[in-house]
Amino acid sequence: MSIAENVASIRREMAAAAAACGRDPGQILLCAATKTQSADAVRQAIAAGVDCCGENRVQELTAKLRENAYEGAPVHFIGHLQTNKVRQVVGRVSLIQSVDSLRLLRAIDAEAARQGIVQDILLEVNIGQEASKSGFDPCQILPLVENASLFSNICIKGLMAIPPISHNPGENLNFFQKMFQLTVDIRNKIADNVIVDCLSMGMSGDFPDAIACGSTMIRVGTAIFGARDYAKESSK
Ligand SMILES: *Cc1c(COP(=O)(O)O)cnc(C)c1O
């Protein structure tokens, strides 16, 4: 199947999942997870109508920006970002989805201040509380959001989660529900630079469940591009 056919098929599944829970499919964005994909594949996905692209590695982002690969769609950063690389990301992407530590939050704020901009971000939540994954502990989120005004060059747009890899439908429902509850809790404690409209969760294997639990952005790689060839991934 071509990238265009894959995107069309995902759109149908998104619509069905939204209809099943009475949601408007127009409120759910499709982010193409473009790690290891060529500029040409990225262009095909954008032509097929994905809402945005999400890149994991700074070097790939930089290379594809240089190739104008994302023309026609916003690009987000969705991978682990080292503080010494924030300069290459802040101001170049419309959303940093993967802010996973206070240290990174401070570094992004400082770089955005230096550039004289406000950087939109999501807080990444380690919802499965897995030792192998980065992200804030769920209990850190509310205090952080309450103190968001300390970061004057950051706007927190919502939350992002990468739950444990699921092999069967329903496996991550519990984590998706917890994420949704977290956004509800935040809405009751809103600060000026916090608008938690975005709940980024759901990947190729579990996005219908994520949509059922209130996801507003799914990040899909394999189902759009096919299995990844990591040999093609640019080195760090
Ligand atoms: C790769 C990746 C995805 C997409 O994963 P698939 O299972 O290929 O759909 C989503 N989110 C992040 C952060 C990723 O790194």
Side-chain angles (χ1 to χ4, degrees), residues 170-188:
E171 266 177 19
N172 276 335
L173 269 175
N174 162 45
F175 293 123
F176 291 145
Q177 282 160 356
K178 279 190 183 157
M179 285 299 299
F180 183 74
Q181 186 56 46
L182 213 43
T183 65
V184 173
D185 296 345
I186 292 171
R187 282 199 189 96
N188 299 326

Side-chain angles (χ1 to χ4, degrees), residues 13-28 173 177 180 201 207-216:
E13 286 182 69
M14 289 171 74
C21 58
R23 296 185 59 200
D24 171 7
Q27 302 298 309
I28 305 154
L173 269 175
Q177 282 160 356
F180 183 74
M201 59 185 192
F207 70 81
D209 284 345
I211 289 171
C213 295
S215 170
T216 67

